[in-house]
Amino acid sequence: MKYLPGLIMLALLGGCSVLPENTPSQLYRLPSPELAVIHRDDVQGTLDIRAPRADRLLASDHIVVWPDAQQVSVYADARWHDNLPAMLKRQWQNALYATRIALPAETGEQGIDARLVAELGDFHIDYQNGVPTAVMRAQFTLLDGADGQRMASQQFYARQTAQSEDVPEAVAALGKVSEQLTFQLMQWLDDQLNP
């Protein structure tokens, strides 16, 4: 009888866990954009691409969805494989390598020709009349590498209807808008850096 309270406590603790339950998440990457239309044989200079600034939610690895105008949510069991600004920076750097508009420079590298900074305003699934639609909007500013003076500024926007409400289809639509916006960005950079 003297062990009974201890056994009851042990049985109760056996049903509890100090660690939170881990729900497995599906991880997603952004696709490599098709940029064969733009390609230069001679690289003109170096460009330092900074990761875009974004609000707290967009700067994370969450895949954001707006069920309606007042509500912001995230997909519970799906994430980006890295935080979104880092993924976009890599995508834009890879696009520079593919197009040869300029050579991507390392942040902090000396003697760069220009620097690209960006503000990510939207990158989410928006429901419009019940239809899931991927939306992306970003403001880009090109700065002189020597003195930091603004050379040019431009906002780009892209949208793509998702094939269904399923998460893989939503992610595919977000991949499409990131491709569209990257293509717009590369065309603009080519105009600015290689007039």
Side-chain angles (χ1 to χ4, degrees), residues 46-124:
T46 54
L47 177 65
D48 174 19
I49 296 180
R50 299 292 174 94
R53 294 184 302 271
D55 67 31
R56 185 171 55 88
L57 194 55
L58 286 180
S60 71
D61 62 352
H62 291 292
I63 302 173
V64 180
V65 58
W66 291 11
D68 57 52
Q70 286 76 39
Q71 185 181 2
V72 178
S73 188
V74 298
Y75 290 115
D77 296 327
R79 300 278 174 101
W80 297 118
H81 83 285
D82 198 352
N83 73 71
L84 183 59
M87 287 199 309
L88 290 172
K89 177 184 175 179
R90 275 194 302 275
Q91 186 176 61
W92 299 335
Q93 285 179 324
N94 291 340
L96 272 188
Y97 278 119
T99 59
R100 297 178 61 81
I101 292 167
L103 287 174
E106 293 298 321
T107 298
E109 185 177 320
Q110 298 298 310
I112 61 166
D113 295 299
R115 176 173 294 112
L116 182 71
V117 295
E119 183 82 32
L120 185 63
D122 292 302
F123 192 75
H124 62 269

Side-chain angles (χ1 to χ4, degrees), residues 10 37 44 132:
L10 191 58
V37 177
Q44 296 297 312

Side-chain angles (χ1 to χ4, degrees), residues 16-22:
C16 301
S17 174
V18 177
L19 300 174
E21 284 187 33
N22 253 348

Side-chain angles (χ1 to χ4, degrees), residues 155-174:
Q155 184 176 100
F156 296 109
Y157 177 81
R159 60 186 301 114
Q160 175 74 40
T161 302
Q163 296 297 316
S164 74
E165 294 187 35
D166 296 337
V167 174
E169 295 296 340
V171 170
L174 287 166

